Amino acid sequence: MSVTPVANDVATMEMREASPAHFLMKIESFSLLQKCGIEKYETKEFDVGEYKWRLIIYPNGDYISVYLAMADNGELRVSKEVNVVFSIFLFNQISNNYLSSLGITRRFHAMKSEWGFSKFISKKILCDPSKGYLVNDNCVFGAEVFVLNTTHAAVGCLSLKNVDIPYKREWTIYEVSSLVNVWSSEEFKAGGYKWNVTFHPKGNGEATGRSVSIYLHYIGSETVKACYTVWIKNRVSNEHVKRTDSQWFSASANKWGWLSFMELASFTDPTKRGFTANNRCLLDIEISVEAVAH
């Protein structure tokens, strides 16, 4: 099957000292290609990434055209694709380095098995001996081909959620003054994911004896972004204490909240018994799951 090559018109070039890793090919008596009527030259095959490749060079015209081609695209089923990053090289025999196309990524398959450059280098520059690419009528082309293995590529998905009504829950915590360390809520579901809340009436860690600490715990393996608001209700003055935060929760970062949600002195102040009236505390929460990363 004849396949028409698809090309970038002009290659974006750079100079480098290292020789190409996969293929070098010398053309002796380059000027005789046109004289002998050779309009297209296909190089010998070389192996990279379990596939066979070759360069195809069109030496005539105002520009030299160079393509990378799969040597036997019959090996490719119609549904099979090979993703490749490749560069094409031309040796500068004066400066002893290589003119190289910047690596480009292309998809090779049965219906499109050639990619390259219709204007790799102008014929005028190539044939100027002072430029160093054609010396004594000899030139050297090369190629690097890196096959991208997509079989084991990591796949991620970020799902954004439009939440109009957040999940709401309220607890009454009894015998607050008798709690020695921590109160834990039951496990509950919000936004399709499992959570629970811990309440430290006498503080936690560095805040022990100074502040009330409150945390929201995520129980799951996916990565979830949640916006959450917590209140400690004042049933006397309605001067509630409210905190809002938004965090990414995951299996390794499953707890977020406030070490110092409010001062312990204010929480237990006899003149502000609204927070602990009748030795009870009202704790409210709203949760909106905004995004999920799989």
Side-chain angles (χ1 to χ4, degrees):
M1 178 177 62
S2 175
V3 179
T4 301
V6 180
N8 290 353
D9 282 341
V10 181
T12 302
M13 312 300 281
E14 66 176 359
M15 300 300 300
R16 83 174 209 192
E17 294 185 0
S19 60
H22 300 122
F23 184 64
L24 279 172
M25 195 262 325
K26 181 179 181 180
I27 300 177
E28 299 178 344
S29 302
F30 179 84
S31 61
L32 294 181
L33 289 172
Q34 186 169 2
K35 184 177 179 180
C36 295
I38 300 175
E39 297 183 354
K40 171 184 176 181
Y41 175 69
E42 298 187 7
T43 71
K44 63 178 289 187
E45 298 176 0
F46 59 97
D47 296 327
V48 178
E50 300 181 359
Y51 299 96
K52 295 183 182 298
W53 308 88
R54 62 162 55 101
L55 289 182
I56 299 178
I57 301 171
Y58 295 83
N60 304 323
D62 294 334
Y63 288 87
I64 308 300
S65 303
V66 187
Y67 300 90
L68 175 70
M70 298 197 77
D72 185 4
N73 62 5
E75 296 179 357
L76 291 178
R77 301 184 303 274
V78 173
S79 60
K80 175 76 172 180
E81 297 178 345
V82 180
N83 294 294
V84 168
V85 180
F86 71 93
S87 297
I88 296 173
F89 295 77
L90 180 61
F91 183 51
N92 190 309
Q93 300 170 61
I94 294 177
S95 60
N96 197 34
N97 56 12
Y98 290 85
L99 179 70
S100 167
S101 64
L102 290 178
I104 61 171
T105 304
R106 292 292 183 265
R107 182 178 300 164
F108 291 75
H109 50 81
M111 302 302 293
K112 191 179 293 184
S113 60
E114 297 179 13
W115 287 97
F117 307 98
S118 62
K119 296 180 180 179
F120 180 73
I121 188 170
S122 76
K123 186 76 167 287
K124 182 178 179 180
I125 292 176
L126 177 70
C127 294
D128 183 347
S130 67
K131 301 296 185 182
Y133 300 113
L134 189 65
V135 176
N136 297 324
D137 208 19
N138 299 329
C139 60
V140 179
F141 287 87
E144 279 185 351
V145 182
F146 297 97
V147 177
L148 303 179
N149 184 357
T150 57
T151 303
H152 304 294
V155 177
C157 175
L158 176 63
S159 301
L160 301 177
K161 298 180 179 293
N162 186 12
V163 180
D164 294 323
I165 303 175
Y167 173 88
K168 298 180 180 181
R169 197 174 187 89
E170 178 181 285
W171 294 275
T172 299
I173 303 173
Y174 296 92
E175 304 297 330
V176 176
S177 62
S178 301
L179 290 174
V180 177
N181 187 18
V182 60
W183 171 90
S184 296
S185 77
E186 74 283 4
E187 185 179 291
F188 60 92
K189 267 195 168 184
Y193 296 88
K194 295 179 180 180
W195 311 84
N196 80 310
V197 172
T198 55
F199 168 75
H200 300 257
K202 296 180 175 62
N204 179 51
E206 296 178 358
T208 300
R210 297 186 294 106
S211 302
V212 174
S213 305
I214 300 177
Y215 301 99
L216 175 63
H217 300 255
Y218 167 64
I219 306 167
S221 57
E222 294 178 307
T223 300
V224 175
K225 187 177 189 294
C227 178
Y228 52 99
T229 300
V230 176
W231 292 263
I232 292 181
K233 293 293 188 69
N234 188 319
R235 288 178 289 166
V236 173
S237 66
N238 289 325
E239 294 178 359
H240 312 309
V241 178
K242 171 185 174 183
R243 299 280 185 268
T244 299
D245 197 9
S246 181
Q247 296 288 350
W248 283 96
F249 292 79
S250 66
S252 59
N254 62 352
K255 181 179 80 170
W256 291 99
W258 298 271
L259 185 68
S260 299
F261 184 87
M262 68 178 293
E263 292 183 357
L264 184 59
S266 297
F267 181 66
T268 58
D269 188 341
T271 65
K272 301 177 181 179
R273 294 294 295 173
F275 293 116
T276 56
N278 301 320
N279 205 16
R280 299 175 183 178
C281 173
L282 291 183
L283 183 67
D284 288 12
I285 190 169
E286 284 188 359
I287 302 176
S288 297
V289 174
E290 300 174 327
V292 180
H294 303 282

